[in-house]
Amino acid sequence: MDFLRPASWEEALAAKAEHPTAVPIAGGTDVMVEINFDHRRPEYLLDLGRIGELREWEVGEDTVRLGASVPYTDIMENLRAELPGLALASHTVASPQIRNRGGVGGNLGTASPAGDAHPALLAAGAEVEVESVRGTRLIPIDDFYTGVKRNALAPDELISAVHIKKAEGPQQYSKVGTRNAMVIAVCAFGIALHPGTRTVRTGIGSAAPTPIRAKAAEEFLNAALEEGGFWDSKKIITPSVAKQFAELASGAANPIDDVRGTASYRRHAVGIMARRTLGWTWESYRGTGRSTEGVA
């Protein structure tokens, strides 16, 4: 195994172009586990640890440009107001040591359905900035996941950043695991209210071959909120609406049985998390001050 250690982003892109099979490594919290267990033995490792710009973020008027290697700890401590859903998800990532090293780019590159950041990114409607020696492009998050642990990156491309709209409404995140920390999600759910467009977006993790949105649940809820005048009145969402939303979210899941949980349990848990996070975000939108930290 050859170890490539570029000193700049330009050198990294050139190395990836020359060695398209090179596996990027920044925090190393996913890749090194696979290597240590001999699940992966790449010909080249491309170390991005010396490239400081990947650990930088920029808060614009409407969006946040989040460098691919910004640690989860920095998201929690500095971007809670702008990216509340992702900050909540970051809280659930492993241990403090892992949160100090791991970043969103690693989750996206690995594209594991159990990655903690995916539901929040889907709910927020993020875009992934990727680059090669050929140029830069933005991939909508809905188009990024192409299969089990596969993504839309070309062989010569690297993830440089993620563009996420600043939250204009409440966001929540919930994760089910066998314990509260140091655990891979049995399943996870993210939700974001977008009052400007009067829409709700969701994200589901570890309950399908790829991270997904519960689109039928979103369409139902968007119509129910609009037809019922909920956005303007800020009245309590009726139990029947919440129940239908939860059932549709559960139906969006396509899970498997594995050592962490059964398919039936995952479907059930997704429905519970959908109902709870909808309640939390809507109470926050209504201004009752009863928003709750989102770990189920």
Side-chain angles (χ1 to χ4, degrees):
M1 186 187 307
D2 288 338
F3 192 69
L4 309 175
R5 197 163 186 248
S8 68
W9 183 238
E10 290 72 21
E11 287 184 13
L13 295 178
K16 186 62 169 164
E18 184 177 355
H19 307 287
T21 61
V23 175
I25 181 170
T29 58
D30 286 327
V31 173
M32 290 310 300
V33 172
E34 293 187 333
I35 291 175
N36 287 339
F37 281 95
D38 207 25
H39 294 161
R40 176 186 281 195
R41 191 60 55 180
E43 185 179 1
Y44 299 97
L45 274 181
L46 180 60
D47 178 22
L48 303 177
R50 299 168 69 188
I51 304 174
E53 62 207 76
L54 295 180
R55 295 187 294 276
E56 298 173 354
W57 68 88
E58 180 181 355
V59 179
E61 183 176 349
D62 299 315
T63 63
V64 175
R65 184 186 183 276
L66 186 70
S69 298
V70 173
Y72 290 111
T73 298
D74 285 350
I75 297 171
M76 292 161 49
E77 294 178 351
N78 300 290
L79 294 170
R80 183 179 300 276
E82 294 84 359
L83 308 176
L86 186 58
L88 283 170
S90 299
H91 267 285
T92 74
V93 174
S95 65
Q97 295 91 335
I98 298 298
R99 292 194 291 271
N100 286 339
R101 287 193 60 84
V104 172
N107 258 193
L108 290 167
T110 305
S112 166
D116 292 315
H118 302 312
L121 296 175
L122 283 164
E127 292 183 306
V128 184
E129 178 184 313
V130 303
E131 194 168 348
S132 71
V133 293
R134 297 176 290 107
T136 303
R137 64 185 179 121
L138 291 175
I139 305 175
I141 194 69
D142 291 337
D143 300 330
F144 187 77
Y145 311 107
T146 59
V148 180
K149 294 189 176 182
R150 297 200 305 273
N151 58 45
L153 288 172
D156 63 342
E157 288 181 323
L158 294 171
I159 299 170
S160 51
V162 184
H163 295 255
I164 312 170
K165 290 182 181 178
K166 293 164 64 175
E168 59 170 338
Q171 300 179 358
Q172 270 293 342
Y173 178 89
S174 185
K175 173 180 173 179
V176 171
T178 53
R179 54 187 179 181
N180 285 333
M182 294 296 290
V183 66
I184 299 175
V186 175
C187 53
F189 191 87
I191 188 171
L193 305 189
H194 300 273
T197 55
R198 295 182 180 239
T199 57
V200 177
R201 284 180 62 108
T202 62
I204 299 175
S206 204
T210 67
I212 58 170
R213 287 168 55 198
K215 292 185 178 180
E218 293 174 13
E219 292 170 1
F220 162 78
L221 184 60
N222 291 337
L225 294 178
E226 189 64 33
E227 292 169 6
F230 287 91
W231 289 109
D232 294 325
S233 68
K234 295 188 177 181
K235 60 186 177 182
I236 296 174
I237 291 178
T238 58
S240 61
V241 169
K243 181 174 182 291
Q244 182 69 10
F245 173 72
E247 289 177 352
L248 289 169
S250 176
N254 182 25
I256 61 171
D257 297 327
D258 64 15
V259 294
R260 286 180 284 126
T262 65
S264 61
Y265 175 75
R266 284 186 163 99
R267 289 192 192 93
H268 173 74
V270 166
I272 296 297
M273 289 189 292
R275 178 176 55 79
R276 289 180 179 176
T277 55
L278 173 60
W280 297 337
T281 51
W282 195 255
E283 287 303 301
S284 181
Y285 175 70
R286 295 179 66 231
T288 63
R290 290 162 54 190
S291 179
T292 307
E293 291 291 315
V295 180

